[in-house]
């Protein structure tokens, strides 16, 4: 992006907010527009600042990060959301991803990786650590109904689109998908646009979750 990525931080822990504010304020290519203490403050901040990426805590006293994320994704042209979590909130993270978050970060992630994650999410790449994603997926119990719904949805895709879905579910970037499937990055992006439209999904993270429900990974 030619201009700084506008970031909104939402976390009810004042120490976490202070630490992340210090780190993000000095990060190249990032503009921290506000630091909030609860999810109920998010809509007004989005309207005021035109946010690109929200770093969202999960557990907050009035409106938690899952509800706030779901509400954001229902808005026209929503910002990308990255949830902030710890290892003991795996189930909440899965719910947040299903709500439309583009990924998640552990709160003890090194500062340079947080900055890199913000830039990647703003550029349309999900932030899903392979090791932690594997752990999350293992904890999800997919019901028969969810499996059948997912398989039915994916049946609407062409074989090439299904290949792209599988690559997305494996955490591949657009460039990696292009190399694996022998196509251009522009073609990968076009496939993803069609996939999201056909499946009525908001982002590639939800595509990966659907592929998991269908038993593809």
């Amino acid at each position: 992006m030619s201009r700084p990525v506008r970031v909104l931080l939402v976390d009810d822990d004042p120490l976490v907010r202070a630490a992340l504010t210090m780190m993000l304020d000095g990060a190249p290519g990032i503009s921290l527009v506000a630091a909030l203490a609860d999810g109920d403050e998010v809509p007004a901040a989005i309207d005021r600042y035109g946010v690109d990426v929200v770093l969202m805590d999960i557990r907050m006293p009035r409106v938690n990060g899952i509800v706030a994320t779901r509400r954001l994704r229902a808005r026209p042209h929503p910002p990308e959301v990255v949830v902030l979590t710890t290892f003991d909130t795996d189930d909440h993270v899965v719910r947040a991803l299903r709500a439309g978050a583009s990924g998640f970060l552990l709160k003890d992630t090194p500062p340079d990786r947080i900055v890199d994650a913000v830039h990647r999410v703003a550029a349309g790449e999900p932030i899903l650590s392979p090791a932690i994603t594997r752990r999350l997926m293992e904890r999800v119990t997919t019901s028969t109904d969810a499996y059948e719904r997912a398989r039915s949805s994916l049946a609407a895709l062409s074989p090439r689109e299904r290949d792209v879905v599988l690559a997305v579910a494996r955490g591949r970037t657009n460039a990696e998908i292009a190399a694996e499937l022998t196509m251009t990055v522009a073609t990968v992006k076009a496939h993803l646009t069609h996939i999201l439209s056909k499946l009525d999904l908001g982002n590639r993270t939800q595509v990966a979750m659907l592929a998991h429900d269908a038993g593809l990974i």
Side-chain angles (χ1 to χ4, degrees):
M1 300 178 69
S2 58
R3 58 170 174 76
V5 178
R6 292 169 296 198
V7 176
L8 176 66
L9 172 62
V10 190
D11 197 299
D12 68 330
D13 186 330
L15 294 179
V16 172
R17 282 202 313 278
L20 288 175
T21 295
M22 289 179 59
M23 191 250 325
L24 293 170
D25 268 344
I30 289 178
S31 173
L32 180 64
V33 298
L36 310 178
D38 201 274
D40 64 351
E41 303 174 68
V42 171
I46 297 297
D47 291 337
R48 180 175 182 181
Y49 298 110
V51 176
D52 299 310
V53 176
V54 181
L55 292 178
M56 182 90 75
D57 189 16
I58 292 180
R59 294 178 176 176
M60 292 181 285
R62 295 187 297 274
V63 175
N64 67 46
I66 296 169
V67 172
T69 297
R70 187 177 298 113
R71 291 175 179 174
L72 278 183
R73 297 306 303 179
R75 295 166 60 104
H77 309 295
E80 301 295 338
V81 178
V82 177
V83 295
L84 298 165
T85 187
T86 55
F87 275 116
D88 62 349
T89 57
D90 291 355
D91 292 332
H92 289 161
V93 174
V94 171
R95 291 172 59 201
L97 295 177
R98 292 191 185 280
S102 296
F104 65 91
L105 296 173
L106 299 177
K107 289 186 177 180
D108 61 356
T109 299
D112 60 332
R113 294 186 62 186
I114 293 178
V115 171
D116 177 65
V118 168
H119 284 292
R120 286 179 56 192
V121 167
E125 297 288 348
I127 302 302
L128 296 172
S129 167
I132 302 174
T133 300
R134 193 175 305 114
R135 173 178 171 173
L136 292 176
M137 296 304 188
E138 289 171 355
R139 291 175 61 92
V140 177
T141 301
T142 304
S143 69
T144 300
D145 287 346
Y147 172 82
E148 294 298 338
R149 286 196 300 270
R151 299 288 289 194
S152 177
S153 295
L154 293 174
L157 303 180
S158 69
R160 203 55 166 167
E161 288 170 341
R162 287 173 63 89
D163 290 339
V164 173
V165 166
L166 185 58
V168 167
R170 289 171 173 163
R172 305 293 193 262
T173 65
N174 288 348
E176 290 169 339
I177 296 172
E180 288 181 6
L181 300 182
T182 318
M183 60 177 68
T184 67
V185 171
T187 301
V188 173
K189 291 180 179 179
H191 278 310
L192 284 171
T193 297
H194 294 152
I195 289 166
L196 292 174
S197 177
K198 285 184 178 181
L199 301 181
D200 193 25
L201 298 176
N203 59 40
R204 62 197 291 149
T205 306
Q206 290 179 318
V207 171
M209 299 299 287
L210 186 69
H212 173 265
D213 285 349
L216 298 185
I217 56 173

